[in-house]
Amino acid sequence: MTSQAQRFLEGLPVLAAPPPYALLIVGCGLYGATFARLAADAGLRPLVIDQRQHIGGNCYTEEREKIHVHAYGAHIFHTSNRHVWEFVNRFAEFNNYINSPKALSGGKLYSLPFNMNTFHELWQVRTPAEARATIEAQRYLGDPTNLEEQALSLVGRDIYETLIHHYTRKQWGKDPSELPAFIIKRLPLRFTYDNNYFNDRWQGIPIGGYTRLFQNMLEGIEVRLGIDYLADRSALDGLARCVVFTGCIDAFFNHEEGHLEYRSLAFEHDVIASENHQGNAVINYCDPEPAYTRTIEHKHFDPVGSRSEVTVVTREYPQPCRDGAIPYYPVNSDANQAIHRRYRERAEALPHVIFGGRLSEYRYMDMHVVVEAAMNRARSVLAALTSGDPRRRSP
């Protein structure tokens, strides 16, 4: 048994009688569902709860007009980790969707990610050498102190002004010159004519939608929806030996070290009487207006097309995270990172609580990263629960 597993086992509270469940998993997104599946596979009994009235967290999809709509924004699964890919393929067959978004600026469409197609659209250059020379001549050469200078140092002024400046301002609610440089550590430039947004070995979207994937992942596992863990913590904690918490870490500690800042999103979903409205799944809007940052036409996520004679288009509006809004993106300022470090220190004193996922870890995580993190953490926790003192096991 590893030292981490041993410490976890020793930190479990000793109860007079075994509780009905081995683990209480708070949150039915990717981290919680992955942990629950692996626990059940190990012969343990998990209970999954979620405050919302559906499974899947922000990956939730619902069928509208025979189209699988990504209710909380576009989610494309991609990974180069074979173990992660094999795991998710246990629960769904994935299609061959390749993410190739477009960006609209000044009435003109540009290719994403930044590649030779983009450079040709901007400057009519045709060779990598021409593109490199143009970018190099525009780079900011100083030591970047904010996001704007960081972007200029990476991609030069034309790309920044055309495709980054206003989009970033809408996304974060602040001018890029007011944001820390480390928010964008890199902006990939591809000197090939390749519009595939991701470089990973595997990519796609579950056939039948993400909700079906979660249904299969949670088969045989008890799930209770509409349950607010923080409102009834003492009673719920008594149901299991340990807790896997995937919510906001500052909320778990009653914001005693301060409130962590997030950006949220609002969505407007429209049914349009057209078989094909915008010709692409995702289009980014890089001008100051409109206020939304992108539109999503969901039927294009299915490469073989949809049977529907209409289409569903979603507009995505970034907004402050307040008044019960769903937190999406951590605002990684120095002040927020300092607050999060204090919460992590307090979490270390609770070895029977596993904090995992983007809200507890206060960092943006792609879906495959969430699954991999849950698999890695579950490995030591489940080893401890299945090999420790039998009295500590769930019946």
Side-chain angles (χ1 to χ4, degrees):
M1 187 184 302
T2 66
S3 58
Q4 185 183 39
Q6 184 64 39
R7 180 175 176 272
F8 165 77
L9 192 59
E10 292 173 352
L12 295 179
V14 177
L15 303 176
Y21 302 94
L23 304 102
L24 172 67
I25 298 176
V26 182
C28 198
L30 269 176
Y31 193 98
T34 298
F35 217 107
R37 181 71 266 157
L38 295 175
D41 289 349
L44 298 172
R45 187 184 182 195
L47 170 64
V48 180
I49 63 172
D50 199 289
Q51 190 171 0
R52 302 189 216 187
Q53 293 292 344
H54 60 72
I55 62 175
N58 290 348
C59 298
Y60 172 71
T61 54
E62 58 189 12
E63 187 169 317
R64 300 186 187 185
E65 304 291 339
K66 302 178 182 178
I67 300 166
H68 294 288
V69 172
H70 297 217
Y72 300 97
H75 287 80
I76 298 93
F77 200 94
H78 57 98
T79 184
S80 294
N81 186 317
R82 181 179 297 275
H83 298 295
V84 169
W85 185 242
E86 290 175 349
F87 176 76
V88 296
N89 274 267
R90 287 176 53 189
F91 314 107
E93 180 182 357
F94 283 71
N95 65 26
N96 62 342
Y97 174 77
I98 300 297
N99 194 32
S100 302
K102 294 292 185 180
L104 182 64
S105 178
K108 184 175 180 179
L109 280 171
Y110 295 90
S111 300
L112 295 177
F114 306 139
N115 67 85
M116 285 301 300
N117 290 302
T118 322
F119 308 147
H120 180 74
E121 292 153 357
L122 275 166
W123 308 308
Q124 290 73 57
V125 297
R126 293 183 297 174
T127 68
E130 291 175 309
R132 289 180 189 275
T134 303
I135 293 169
E136 195 61 36
Q138 299 180 9
R139 288 188 193 274
Y140 173 77
L141 300 179
D143 186 16
T145 60
N146 56 56
L147 187 150
E148 178 174 271
E149 293 175 350
Q150 175 74 0
L152 289 170
S153 71
L154 293 170
V155 299
R157 183 156 298 276
D158 285 352
I159 295 175
Y160 172 74
E161 293 290 352
T162 305
L163 299 172
I164 298 174
H165 182 191
H166 296 297
Y167 186 93
T168 302
R169 188 184 183 103
K170 291 191 290 188
Q171 182 76 15
W172 295 102
K174 296 179 181 179
D175 190 84
S177 64
E178 302 175 273
L179 295 166
F182 64 78
I183 287 182
I184 53 166
K185 296 180 180 178
R186 62 185 183 90
L187 286 170
L189 297 172
R190 292 186 190 164
F191 294 94
T192 58
Y193 289 91
D194 181 7
N195 290 335
N196 183 353
Y197 198 83
F198 302 116
N199 285 319
D200 287 301
R201 170 74 185 278
W202 298 286
Q203 178 178 175
I205 293 173
I207 296 173
Y210 281 98
T211 299
R212 182 181 296 178
L213 178 149
F214 279 91
Q215 290 169 340
N216 293 336
M217 189 181 295
L218 295 165
E219 185 177 359
I221 295 171
E222 184 175 352
V223 178
R224 302 181 189 177
L225 301 175
I227 303 296
D228 186 347
Y229 169 76
L230 297 177
D232 198 17
R233 187 185 314 200
S234 58
L236 290 167
D237 282 349
L239 296 177
R241 178 63 68 186
C242 66
V243 175
V244 178
F245 184 78
T246 68
C248 293
I249 192 170
D250 56 336
F252 182 92
F253 291 105
N254 300 311
H255 306 287
E256 292 167 2
E257 303 292 339
H259 286 257
L260 290 170
E261 187 180 2
Y262 288 89
R263 291 289 286 174
S264 187
L265 296 170
F267 302 95
E268 292 178 348
H269 306 283
D270 285 341
V271 177
I272 298 174
S274 170
E275 289 187 2
N276 183 1
H277 178 68
Q278 66 183 28
N280 202 56
V282 180
I283 296 181
N284 290 2
Y285 286 74
C286 301
D287 294 320
E289 296 295 334
Y292 48 85
T293 50
R294 60 180 179 174
T295 54
I296 301 164
E297 188 169 6
H298 301 267
K299 66 171 20 178
H300 294 302
F301 288 135
D302 182 357
V304 300
S306 168
R307 295 169 296 162
S308 179
E309 296 180 355
V310 300
T311 192
V312 178
V313 174
T314 298
R315 293 179 295 277
E316 189 172 299
Y317 296 84
Q319 62 181 19
C321 189
R322 57 190 177 209
D323 300 328
I326 297 171
Y328 282 84
Y329 306 108
V331 180
N332 285 310
S333 65
D334 291 338
N336 281 310
Q337 289 301 319
I339 293 171
H340 181 248
R341 282 193 295 272
R342 293 197 293 271
Y343 284 123
R344 291 304 304 176
E345 291 171 359
R346 295 183 63 169
E348 289 294 322
L350 300 173
H352 66 289
V353 180
I354 296 98
F355 294 89
R358 60 186 180 85
L359 300 182
S360 278
E361 299 184 45
Y362 197 65
R363 63 188 180 102
Y364 181 79
M365 304 164 71
D366 285 332
M367 289 186 288
H368 67 289
V369 176
V370 174
V371 172
E372 183 177 3
M375 293 173 73
N376 290 338
R377 188 71 176 99
R379 187 176 298 115
S380 62
V381 169
L382 300 178
L385 288 173
T386 55
S387 64
D389 185 336
R391 291 171 298 176
R392 296 183 184 272
R393 300 182 192 175
S394 174

